[in-house]
Amino acid sequence: KAGVTQTPRYLIKTRGQQVTLSCSPISGHRSVSWYQQTPGQGLQFLFEYFSETQRNKGNFPGRFSGRQFSNSRSEMNVSTLELGDSALYLCASSLRSSAGYNEQFFGPGTRLTVL
Amino acid sequence: AQSVTQLGSHVSVSEGALVLLRCNYSSSVPPYLFWYVQYPNQGLQLLLKYTTGATLVKGINGFEAEFKKSETSFHLTKPSAHMSDAAEYFCAVTFSGSARQLTFGSGTQLTVLP
């Protein structure tokens, strides 16, 4: 079974631009979560999508948004990029059943550099 | 609110020596606890997890961890380090009400010396 895929793997943008990152979950997984990883702040939860609806949101400004499609693929968008948005953006998928914990499987990430 | 503290941002051990990576958590409700490993330019791979039941959990690659509620700890150990264990390790916590929102520690970079 194919793992979580993220595209693109690397991206360079300039301040003020916007960017869209894509995540394809493992087949059958319906929950997609996004995390930002930076040297200064570490790994931080951005948001989770399930059944095309945002279910949880971390403490990030409104410039960070996302969506999920009917096939469970998810995109996240960052508008008006700032230098501090340079990070590795990780996507994780899980089954999200009602019983207990479902393991999250992480993709390789998208490395975003803002110049 | 929940939080995770990893003691030691860098740990060096000799090949064949014991690996001990420390993790303490804070959670007002029963936690789910995890250890992830990250190799350069890769995502996170789950090493092991504690949700309920046995407090000593075994994971992949010979790693294990023990959940100690009284000490609010979940330290990661491996009896004998291998060169391939060199990576960054993250402890994470969540709870049943929000199981997909992981709170991570700051990470520990493990170096294995020949």
Side-chain angles (χ1 to χ4, degrees), chain A residues 67-79:
Chain A
R67 60 177 176 169
Q68 187 179 35
F69 302 94
S70 58
N71 63 357
S72 295
R73 189 178 70 85
S74 176
E75 291 181 346
M76 67 163 283
N77 184 79
V78 188
S79 62

Side-chain angles (χ1 to χ4, degrees), chain B residues 39-114:
Chain B
Y39 297 98
N41 298 316
Q42 294 188 27
L44 301 174
Q45 180 183 13
L46 182 67
L47 280 176
L48 48 79
K49 64 180 183 288
Y50 169 79
T51 53
T52 58
T55 56
L56 180 63
V57 293
K58 296 185 185 298
I60 62 172
N61 302 337
F63 286 94
E64 63 181 39
E66 186 171 10
F67 169 58
K68 292 187 177 181
K69 184 178 179 180
S70 61
E71 299 177 8
T72 61
S73 69
F74 191 57
H75 302 330
L76 181 70
T77 61
K78 181 174 180 177
S80 177
H82 191 272
M83 297 296 288
S84 61
D85 294 328
E88 189 154 24
Y89 292 79
F90 293 93
C91 183
V93 65
T94 187
F95 60 96
S96 62
S98 184
R100 286 148 301 280
Q101 183 171 341
L102 293 167
T103 298
F104 286 90
S106 55
T108 298
Q109 182 67 48
L110 176 66
T111 300
V112 181
L113 305 171

Side-chain angles (χ1 to χ4, degrees), chain B residues 15-29:
Chain B
E15 191 173 21
L18 171 72
V19 176
L20 171 59
L21 304 183
R22 300 178 186 274
C23 172
N24 288 88
Y25 69 91
S26 172
S27 176
S28 57
V29 296

Side-chain angles (χ1 to χ4, degrees), chain A residues 10-26:
Chain A
Y10 301 91
L11 206 49
I12 299 175
K13 292 286 188 179
T14 57
R15 280 183 301 173
Q17 288 187 310
Q18 74 167 16
V19 67
T20 299
L21 313 181
S22 179
C23 172
S24 293
I26 291 172

Side-chain angles (χ1 to χ4, degrees), chain A residues 9-10 31 33 35 37 42-45 48 56-58 88 90 94 96-97 100-109 111, chain B residues 32 34 36 38 40-47 49 51 88 90-91 94-106:
Chain A
R9 290 293 311 277
Y10 301 91
S31 168
S33 297
Y35 293 82
Q37 184 177 22
L43 279 154
Q44 294 183 286
F45 173 79
E48 181 216 357
N56 291 295
K57 186 173 178 6
L88 181 67
L90 294 166
S94 68
R96 207 185 202 270
S97 71
Y101 173 78
N102 301 124
E103 181 180 341
Q104 293 189 57
F105 293 83
F106 283 81
R111 172 76 62 185
Chain B
Y32 293 168
F34 311 86
Y36 284 88
Q38 186 177 36
N41 298 316
Q42 294 188 27
L44 301 174
Q45 180 183 13
L46 182 67
L47 280 176
K49 64 180 183 288
T51 53
E88 189 154 24
F90 293 93
C91 183
T94 187
F95 60 96
S96 62
S98 184
R100 286 148 301 280
Q101 183 171 341
L102 293 167
T103 298
F104 286 90
S106 55

